[in-house]
Amino acid sequence: MTDLYRLLPEEMEQLVIDMGYPRYRADQILLPLYYQFPKNFEDIPQLPKQLREDLIEAGYTIGSAKETHRIVSEDGDTTKLLLQLSETSVETVLMQYSSSKIGGHPRSTICVSTQIGCAMGCVFCATGQMGFETNLAAEDIVSQVIHFAEILQQRGEHVTNLVFMGMGEPMANYDEMIRAVKILTHDRGFGLGQRHITISTIGITSGIDKLAEENLQIGLAISLHAPNNELRKKLVPTAGPNSVEDIIDAGRRYFEKTGRRVTFEYALMAGVNDSPEIAKELASLLEGNGSHVNLIPINPTAGNFKRPTQESIIKFEQILSDAGVNCTVRVEKGTEISAACGQLRTDIVNSSK
Ligand code: SAH
Ligand code: SF4
């Protein structure tokens, strides 16, 4: 069985040609896939019956993921879906920002997962604490976006942004992740602008370098969390092969190659990595390299971590800004429905009861 959402447009063309049909038939599949969201071949009546039958016979399916649960936050801005895949299920989140409108529509950012669980074991992250379960296939990543695209389309809205910040480490599932990115950004695929996508990584430098070579205008976010290796290893136990210095260098190479400014994510934990001394160390590490720091006050989901006081968050930010390091504090969304950073786990069923 192969889900048609797995195929790049060029592969779709090759498929119909190999089946003895003219090239243009590929577009008669691609257009509905990405604009009408069919559930089966009967939903694409414009395709010749024989081609539909040939596809079914050859084991092709359409969108195998099924929505089984939906939770919406009280303010309506955050929606979490549970999608049933063949052997597992995955959560995906839509965050809307009613205050920032683009052409009259709210900014609608989908946060996708690339793995179930994660092998990196970050001590403050709920996904990391559940361990690694499985890699998601490209079509399972694409499906997460498609499901929300359909929901948004019914409201006359659309997906404006995509972040790879759900469960898992994108660089540890590189091939499937990048296939999904190519389908989602292809102008004959989903057609989302490359600049509207951000991939967040724990700092796997080989993956960062590979991404830089893709010739895509994708945004990169690197989860740094500490300005030195000693502290970082306590928070990211598998950081070993990628030192802070190596990560900063990989970020610089990414910027040089793509022209896209890199964001460093920094989860702030009270008494762990939020002191003024550490802020100064971080500032001198990043000073002058043109990158941006996104401070994320921790969501207490795993371990015994606490969010710093507002006062120490502001102080930390001030030290970075004073050193000329561009810095923002992330506004969390969806905490009450366990949809915020580090809260994604497959126990949605329990949490919704
Ligand atoms: N594996 C990738 C992408 C998924 S995590 C990565 O680590 O970058 C997305 C973001 O959520 C990362 O910046 C991560 O550090 C952050 N995060 C994880 N657990 C968190 C928590 N408990 N509170 C706040 N942010 C968290
Ligand atoms: Fe994995 Fe990212 Fe969580 Fe670390 S923070 S365990 S890399 S998902």
Side-chain angles (χ1 to χ4, degrees), residues 125-288:
C125 169
T127 310
Q129 293 309 300
M130 72 185 269
F132 173 73
E133 225 172 80
T134 187
N135 277 325
L136 291 179
E139 59 271 33
D140 298 334
I141 301 172
V142 171
S143 275
Q144 298 172 49
V145 181
I146 294 299
H147 273 79
F148 273 123
E150 186 178 12
I151 293 172
L152 288 169
Q153 191 187 58
Q154 286 159 0
R155 304 185 201 155
E157 299 169 5
H158 61 270
V159 177
T160 60
N161 298 76
L162 177 59
V163 295
F164 283 69
M165 296 186 185
M167 270 199 205
E169 168 50 40
M171 300 304 186
N173 186 17
Y174 189 90
D175 292 348
E176 295 300 307
M177 177 277 288
I178 202 72
R179 171 178 277 274
V181 166
K182 286 178 180 165
I183 293 168
L184 290 166
T185 55
H186 202 294
D187 53 6
R188 293 165 68 209
F190 187 67
L192 187 65
Q194 293 171 6
R195 292 176 157 269
H196 297 238
I197 297 185
T198 301
I199 293 180
S200 176
T201 173
I202 197 64
I204 298 181
T205 54
S206 55
I208 296 172
D209 285 335
K210 223 164 149 185
L211 187 65
E213 294 300 323
E214 297 281 355
N215 208 10
L216 294 168
Q217 284 287 299
I218 306 279
L220 178 69
I222 303 180
S223 298
L224 193 61
H225 309 312
N228 62 65
N229 292 311
E230 196 191 341
L231 178 58
R232 193 164 194 272
K233 274 187 192 147
K234 287 187 190 148
L235 303 174
V236 185
T238 54
N242 301 290
S243 69
V244 166
E245 296 72 27
D246 290 347
I247 291 173
I248 304 286
D249 281 350
R252 190 174 305 120
R253 287 194 296 274
Y254 189 84
F255 172 66
E256 282 165 6
K257 186 85 195 167
T258 63
R260 297 296 318 264
R261 207 175 56 155
V262 174
T263 297
F264 288 99
E265 293 165 288
Y266 192 101
L268 274 174
M269 295 163 244
V272 176
N273 65 354
D274 68 332
S275 70
E277 292 68 40
I278 293 180
K280 282 178 200 142
E281 204 183 334
L282 182 65
S284 53
L285 185 71
L286 298 177
E287 230 171 347

